[in-house]
Amino acid sequence: MMFYQYVHNLRGLAILLVISAHVISVVPFDHSLVADMVRSVLKNCTVIFVLIGGWLFSYLASKYSYKSYLVSKLKKVVVPYVVISIPALTVYLLGLKDTHPWVDLATLKETYGYFGQVIFYLSTGAHLGPLWFMPMIFIFYLLFPVFKSLSQSRLLIYMLLFSLFPAVFLGRPDANDDTLQSFIYFLPVWLIGMFLFQHRDTYQWKGKCFFSLVTLFFLALLAIYSLFDWDSRVDLILKIVAGYLLFSGFSNFLNKPNRFLGVMADLSFYLFFIHGYFIAVFRGIFSRYDFLPQGVVAFIIVFFVVIFLSVLSFYFFRFILKEKTGPLLGAYR
């Protein structure tokens, strides 16, 4: 099966964008127009990550039966998700943290025992910020037969268009606290990724107009973000277009091995799992100390520190766990 280097590189960029969106959510910024636009540009970059997920699904679907696909995801995603969740689960179960953005911890503890709380956290991803994504992506995994059939059907384009209506109507849950709504929101993104794989010629075009088109889109993006309040329903369309342009740009100009993006892509799921811990540490630091750098300077520093510590942690665990690093932590490199 042909290896598409540009998609691998794009996956590396996508995980960096996701991490940057989480970093900017904890770094103190003033409410200037520039700061608000930067936040808007980075916010919701999970759309690009899911778009790539749909593309890769169509690319790999023919290799699997339903059983082998679920077994693969159990080994490569579910088990690492549970293992990496252990520290965060411990913090909540032992009462070391007594506040949560959207969970009533007191009621949760009164209603459920330890096992019930573990099930709740793992089924919602509420125990660590970025992990809301995992219960949602599990729904996509469970619907493998449906998506595999669509990938080979002319109905894909119709289902794609149909799925856009509820996604745009409902929007993304504000606190990522509704797994089903998140699934509905990201469903058309996944389907568009599948469509792009089936119709790669739609973005693998060459021409001088590419940079002009990207420039016009970027200016339109900044204009929308500066004139209107950020809205996940509008941003869904904007980020889909951004993802499409990235596919086009990478297929034309980054279709060869890139050492840095390659490492990021290889470790993408591990980085997605682990970076939330370092983000949580910085959230605590910034909430406690007000003399630290803020704004763009702080964002750049924290972003690179989080990336560095996340990658360093992988090599630390690989030194200890050896060949078990992949099965336990979802890091295959």
Side-chain angles (χ1 to χ4, degrees):
M1 183 177 286
M2 181 179 179
F3 180 73
Y4 292 87
Q5 184 65 54
Y6 68 89
V7 179
H8 193 62
N9 290 336
L10 182 53
R11 190 179 187 184
L13 174 66
I15 189 61
L16 293 175
L17 290 173
V18 169
I19 293 173
S20 69
H22 294 154
V23 169
I24 207 168
S25 70
V26 302
V27 172
F29 266 79
D30 58 23
H31 286 286
S32 67
L33 179 61
V34 173
D36 289 341
M37 283 197 295
V38 171
R39 273 192 291 264
S40 296
V41 169
L42 294 178
K43 197 173 183 180
N44 206 29
C45 280
T46 305
V47 168
I48 297 170
F49 198 69
V50 175
L51 191 71
I52 298 169
W55 192 101
L56 290 172
F57 175 88
S58 281
Y59 171 59
L60 297 170
S62 61
K63 293 177 55 179
Y64 294 98
S65 65
Y66 189 29
K67 179 180 179 181
S68 64
Y69 182 78
L70 290 182
V71 169
S72 173
K73 294 305 180 184
L74 178 65
K75 291 179 179 179
K76 294 183 178 181
V77 181
V78 178
V79 171
Y81 169 57
V82 173
V83 172
I84 291 183
S85 292
I86 291 174
L89 291 172
T90 302
V91 166
Y92 281 108
L93 293 177
L94 295 182
L96 301 178
K97 187 175 181 180
D98 56 7
T99 60
H100 191 282
W102 55 270
V103 177
D104 185 336
L105 297 180
T107 301
L108 182 66
K109 291 178 181 179
E110 292 174 3
T111 306
Y112 301 101
Y114 285 119
F115 181 74
Q117 291 178 61
V118 168
I119 296 301
F120 171 82
Y121 284 121
L122 290 177
S123 62
T124 60
H127 50 299
L128 190 65
L131 297 185
W132 66 267
F133 180 84
M134 301 314 299
M136 181 201 73
I137 205 67
F138 294 158
I139 300 177
F140 285 96
Y141 296 161
L142 290 173
L143 292 176
F144 171 85
V146 176
F147 293 127
K148 186 174 182 179
S149 296
L150 281 175
S151 69
Q152 303 164 349
S153 169
R154 294 181 180 180
L155 291 177
L156 175 60
I157 183 64
Y158 300 107
M159 289 301 298
L160 185 165
L161 295 172
F162 179 78
S163 67
L164 275 170
F165 290 100
V168 172
F169 177 76
L170 291 173
R172 178 174 170 173
D174 292 335
N176 299 313
D177 56 350
D178 188 322
T179 299
L180 181 57
Q181 185 179 343
S182 294
F183 170 76
I184 293 171
Y185 181 78
F186 285 101
L187 176 59
V189 182
W190 182 271
L191 294 176
I192 291 171
M194 292 172 57
F195 179 85
L196 290 179
F197 175 80
Q198 300 296 343
H199 303 275
R200 294 184 291 283
D201 58 305
T202 59
Y203 63 81
Q204 290 179 330
W205 44 273
K206 299 180 184 295
K208 296 180 180 179
C209 64
F210 173 78
F211 292 104
S212 298
L213 184 61
V214 170
T215 301
L216 287 173
F217 173 73
F218 187 70
L219 291 174
L221 199 70
L222 294 182
I224 292 170
Y225 287 147
S226 62
L227 295 173
F228 305 99
D229 292 335
W230 189 88
D231 188 317
S232 67
R233 297 168 297 180
V234 175
D235 198 65
L236 176 66
I237 306 301
L238 295 176
K239 289 301 194 300
I240 288 173
V241 175
Y244 168 79
L245 291 174
L246 284 171
F247 262 97
S248 180
F250 271 61
S251 68
N252 283 307
F253 308 110
L254 276 169
N255 194 20
K256 57 184 179 180
N258 181 289
R259 188 172 182 180
F260 177 67
L261 292 177
V263 172
M264 296 298 102
D266 289 341
L267 300 181
S268 58
F269 255 113
Y270 173 76
L271 295 176
F272 193 96
F273 287 141
I274 203 70
H275 82 275
Y277 285 106
F278 299 112
I279 295 290
V281 170
F282 278 107
R283 179 180 287 108
I285 291 174
F286 281 115
S287 66
R288 184 169 297 182
Y289 304 104
D290 57 7
F291 62 86
L292 298 172
Q294 298 185 6
V296 175
V297 173
F299 168 73
I300 293 173
I301 293 173
V302 174
F303 174 73
F304 281 106
V305 169
V306 168
I307 296 296
F308 174 76
L309 292 177
S310 297
V311 174
L312 183 65
S313 69
F314 160 72
Y315 286 104
F316 171 76
F317 286 125
R318 192 175 71 170
F319 177 77
I320 296 174
L321 299 174
K322 302 294 191 299
E323 68 278 1
K324 295 181 180 179
T325 308
L328 290 177
L329 301 179
Y332 295 88
R333 181 172 177 81

